[in-house]
Amino acid sequence: LVYIKLLQQEVQIAEKHAKRLRTNAHDENGNLTINGYAYRAGIKNLQFDAQGNLDNGRQIEQALLKRVNNAVSAYNKHRNDEDNGRYEYNLNQAKSDYDGFLKAMKEYEETISKVEDTKDEIQEYKEKIQDATDAIVDAIQEGVEDMVKAMDNQREFDKLALD
């Protein structure tokens, strides 16, 4: 039971972390989360399914990739301009956002996967406990039945011995 409680605490911690990644623009270290990158992509509402998976993640990824492609085009168009530094900056920022989003999505998906895996482990452990409990109950029942048979046999033996 202690093991199950520890696993349940692990699930709670991972679920809280996943919620922070879904709802906050930055994580506890100040890094952008999927929500922060979505905002930069111009997508204000993240959509999650019942299991916590991001439904519009592909849309966010495509919007960020479009920003990269537009930044590449603008940079290439103004490559020879004297003030091309802002285009280079925009390109680097767009690439950083795209890569950061992919990294944040991977972290989020790993967190969600950890929650599901831990929940499965809890269920398996509970089933093992139930199987062990059932085996103990069966063994006790068999022992009681054997004792009853032995007592019946003893009575029969005593009855025959007295006759």
Side-chain angles (χ1 to χ4, degrees):
L1 294 177
V2 171
Y3 182 65
I4 290 175
K5 287 185 189 243
L6 290 174
L7 290 175
Q8 288 170 333
Q9 287 175 347
E10 195 173 307
V11 166
Q12 289 174 343
I13 290 168
E15 284 176 336
K16 284 179 186 176
H17 182 64
K19 183 178 180 183
R20 278 193 306 271
L21 294 176
R22 280 195 305 267
T23 58
N24 298 342
H26 296 87
D27 66 12
E28 50 277 351
N29 297 322
N31 300 315
L32 282 173
T33 64
I34 54 174
N35 194 25
Y37 288 112
Y39 184 79
R40 282 197 178 175
I43 297 170
K44 306 292 187 244
N45 296 318
L46 298 179
Q47 299 165 358
F48 296 91
D49 64 17
Q51 289 76 34
N53 299 309
L54 182 62
D55 283 339
N56 59 342
R58 186 79 177 129
Q59 178 187 6
I60 296 166
E61 182 181 346
Q62 288 173 344
L64 289 170
L65 186 57
K66 183 177 179 181
R67 277 186 57 214
V68 170
N69 291 334
N70 290 342
V72 167
S73 294
Y75 175 76
N76 287 336
K77 183 178 178 182
H78 298 281
R79 182 187 317 213
N80 296 324
D81 293 357
E82 285 183 31
D83 64 341
N84 70 348
R86 69 182 169 132
Y87 297 104
E88 184 177 359
Y89 173 82
N90 289 342
L91 174 59
N92 289 335
Q93 187 63 51
K95 285 180 180 178
S96 176
D97 285 352
Y98 180 76
D99 292 340
F101 174 75
L102 295 179
K103 182 179 175 187
M105 275 302 299
K106 182 179 179 188
E107 177 187 1
Y108 179 77
E109 289 169 351
E110 287 172 352
T111 301
I112 292 298
S113 178
K114 181 180 179 181
V115 167
E116 292 306 313
D117 290 348
T118 306
K119 285 181 178 179
D120 290 346
E121 187 176 350
I122 289 170
Q123 186 58 38
E124 289 172 14
Y125 194 72
K126 285 180 177 180
E127 288 170 6
K128 286 180 183 179
I129 290 171
Q130 186 60 51
D131 290 347
T133 302
D134 291 346
I136 290 169
V137 168
D138 290 345
I140 290 171
Q141 285 177 334
E142 287 176 23
V144 168
E145 289 171 5
D146 289 345
M147 280 182 18
V148 169
K149 285 180 187 176
M151 289 171 64
D152 287 345
N153 289 341
Q154 183 64 43
R155 277 192 219 115
E156 284 294 316
F157 179 76
D158 289 346
K159 185 178 178 184
L160 289 174
L162 292 175
D163 289 339

